[in-house]
Amino acid sequence: MSIHTVALNDGSTIPAIAFGTGTIFRQKDAAEQVARALESGFRHIDAAALYENEESVGAAIRESGIERSELFITTKYGGGDVRSSIECSLRKLGVQAVDLYLVHLPQLIEDDFEGAWAELAKVKEDGLTRSIGVSNFSVEHLRKIMQTGKTKPAVNQIRLHPYNYASYRELFAYAAEHAIVIEAFGSLAPLTSIPDGPLDSVLHTIAARVNATPAQVIFKWALSKGVVVVTTTSQAARLAEYLAVAQLDDLTNEEIAAIDDAGLRGACDENVTDPRGVPVKRSANWPTGRISEH
């Protein structure tokens, strides 16, 4: 299946759907799951030093037999010296360079935004990564980066779904102004961890029209915003389901607006979590429902 690409502000492009190796695979051998994702057709793999499984990700990439030029590989800076960090990740992944290198958390460079970003720009200049960006950055954090030099972040990867989209409007506006692509992880939260909200009926109505699943509808919604989707699953059937999003009809403007509206009515405070880190606070319009797995 052909996944479209999104243009980055440095002239590169990025596949619009990625297979993530964090969350349920963190600190676990992810080789089998990455191999299955590659076999299914994923060509964008999202890794990170903090996931502590880059070696297994690299093993799956090598054993896949897929040409390096056909893959888009992301990994993330997890602390310490920037050059040493990326060189360590490259060794573990078994590649000479990655396509995208992200600062995983703003806290990792808060003591020296300017110096750290200059180091990222240098490893890009030296060919260790094609593009550089950030993850979990607010507008305030992005402004600090933009003040440090001429190299813009190409990407900001954030937790994004319809129930928190409204809270990111300023971030989306700032990203659009500077041509920074938003990548989204956790987009299926309305199905997996915060269900039984105003979105449920909207998603099912749209899913029936486009002959899709509610998960596919959420991904189509995200893609309609120009967002790159990072998703993950341990279930083989889900891989085909997620990749098939590329073949579905686009949502209408009215359907996108309906999802936005339902998301706003069910907006949640993601700072309130259960022991697993799952957001649990619901708005007054949101009927109480149990935390469930999708």
Side-chain angles (χ1 to χ4, degrees):
M1 291 176 194
S2 177
I3 302 297
H4 75 274
T5 59
V6 175
L8 300 179
N9 59 23
D10 60 6
S12 299
T13 59
I14 181 171
I17 300 179
F19 182 80
T21 60
T23 316
I24 57 177
F25 305 130
R26 190 167 185 162
Q27 297 181 322
K28 296 179 180 179
D29 188 315
E32 181 180 350
Q33 289 78 17
V34 173
R36 189 178 295 133
L38 292 171
E39 290 169 5
S40 297
F42 278 87
R43 290 297 179 266
H44 180 179
I45 303 297
D46 183 272
L50 293 178
Y51 299 160
E52 299 181 37
N53 60 8
E54 287 174 306
E55 295 99 328
S56 62
V57 174
I61 289 171
R62 287 192 302 276
E63 293 170 10
S64 72
I66 299 170
E67 292 291 331
R68 174 66 183 88
S69 60
E70 295 181 25
L71 298 175
F72 190 102
I73 302 173
T74 296
T75 197
K76 307 179 190 74
Y77 167 72
D81 178 73
V82 171
R83 180 170 290 271
S84 297
S85 178
I86 191 171
E87 287 177 346
C88 180
S89 288
L90 295 178
R91 285 194 299 272
K92 290 178 178 179
L93 291 167
V95 295
Q96 294 183 332
V98 289
D99 298 281
L100 178 62
Y101 194 55
L102 305 178
V103 178
H104 205 148
L105 297 161
Q107 294 90 334
L108 294 171
I109 63 171
E110 62 184 354
D111 292 337
D112 186 11
F113 266 80
E114 183 173 359
W117 191 249
E119 285 300 311
L120 262 86
K122 186 65 166 62
V123 298
K124 178 181 187 296
E125 180 183 332
D126 291 345
L128 300 184
T129 181
R130 189 167 62 177
S131 300
I132 56 176
V134 296
S135 179
N136 301 297
F137 272 49
S138 66
V139 172
E140 180 183 357
H141 295 132
L142 288 173
R143 287 195 177 115
K144 288 182 179 181
I145 290 291
M146 297 297 290
Q147 292 169 0
T148 64
K150 63 182 181 180
T151 306
K152 294 181 180 182
V155 162
N156 184 20
Q157 186 178 121
I158 60 173
R159 177 180 170 87
L160 175 73
H161 51 75
Y163 286 135
N164 71 5
Y165 172 65
S167 69
Y168 281 126
R169 283 176 180 167
E170 183 185 3
L171 182 66
F172 267 76
Y174 188 85
E177 179 184 352
H178 297 284
I180 299 169
V181 169
I182 299 294
E183 278 192 290
F185 66 88
S187 296
L188 298 184
L191 303 177
T192 61
S193 59
I194 40 178
D196 305 323
L199 269 170
D200 286 17
S201 62
V202 175
L203 293 176
H204 282 89
T205 297
I206 297 171
R209 183 192 72 80
V210 297
N211 192 27
T213 65
Q216 289 173 322
V217 173
I218 290 179
F219 287 154
K220 290 297 287 189
W221 168 84
L223 294 173
S224 78
K225 306 292 186 183
V227 166
V228 170
V229 171
V230 180
T231 188
T232 194
T233 180
S234 60
Q235 301 179 45
R238 297 287 189 205
L239 295 170
E241 175 187 347
Y242 298 163
L243 286 175
V245 168
Q247 312 303 317
L248 298 175
D249 290 341
D250 290 338
L251 305 186
T252 66
N253 290 336
E254 292 76 16
E255 288 168 337
I256 294 168
I259 292 173
D260 290 347
D261 179 65
L264 186 60
R265 286 187 285 114
C268 65
D269 181 351
E270 295 207 293
N271 293 319
V272 180
T273 61
D274 74 359
R276 296 178 298 161
V278 174
V280 295
K281 184 178 180 180
R282 292 157 168 77
S283 75
N285 296 321
W286 197 336
T288 301
R290 65 183 182 85
I291 299 291
S292 66
E293 298 296 336
H294 176 59

